[in-house]
Amino acid sequence: QVKLVESGGGLVQPGGSLRLSCAASGSIFRINAMGWYRQAPGKQRELVASITSGGSTNYADSVKGRFTISRDNANNTVYLQMASLKPEDTAVYYCNVVGSTRWYESGYNHWGQGTQVTVSS
């Protein structure tokens, strides 16, 4: 099993910045991709940003130019640097890892518990 530990959430004023981090641990053979999703009350969970083990990234249109995802493959850690935060960024942010524990396994989703990000004055 893969365990994800998230940190960095909190309360910030509009225009402020936060950095989220997520470290994956456990019996890991391969991580195909890591990413961040978010879910606001009454809304579906949506992809914010993702990054492959090779460094290829993609972002939701709503965060392009403001958020940056990065990873430390050696430590199985993914980061989300969030800048110019807006009230509409308020949500629970979930770390996601697509990975496997054996060479013959296809990657499957692992989820963190989520960390609250609140953008408000």
Side-chain angles (χ1 to χ4, degrees), residues 23-103:
S25 63
S27 182
I28 302 171
F29 176 76
R30 178 190 301 109
I31 291 179
N32 302 101
M34 307 181 80
W36 293 92
Y37 289 70
R38 67 185 181 188
Q39 187 169 24
K43 303 290 186 179
Q44 289 189 313
R45 188 174 299 185
E46 64 175 349
L47 174 68
V48 177
S50 65
I51 185 168
T52 69
S53 59
S56 180
T57 62
N58 73 89
Y59 297 89
D61 288 341
S62 60
V63 307
K64 286 181 179 178
R66 299 188 298 119
F67 291 10
T68 302
I69 189 169
S70 60
R71 85 283 182 269
D72 180 352
N73 285 347
N75 293 292
N76 293 325
T77 302
V78 63
Y79 305 92
L80 185 67
Q81 180 67 51
M82 304 184 294
S84 301
L85 284 162
K86 305 174 180 179
E88 48 263 49
D89 294 318
T90 296
V92 177
Y93 284 69
Y94 296 91
C95 179
N96 171 257
V97 170
V98 180
S100 59
T101 58
R102 294 288 185 271
W103 70 268

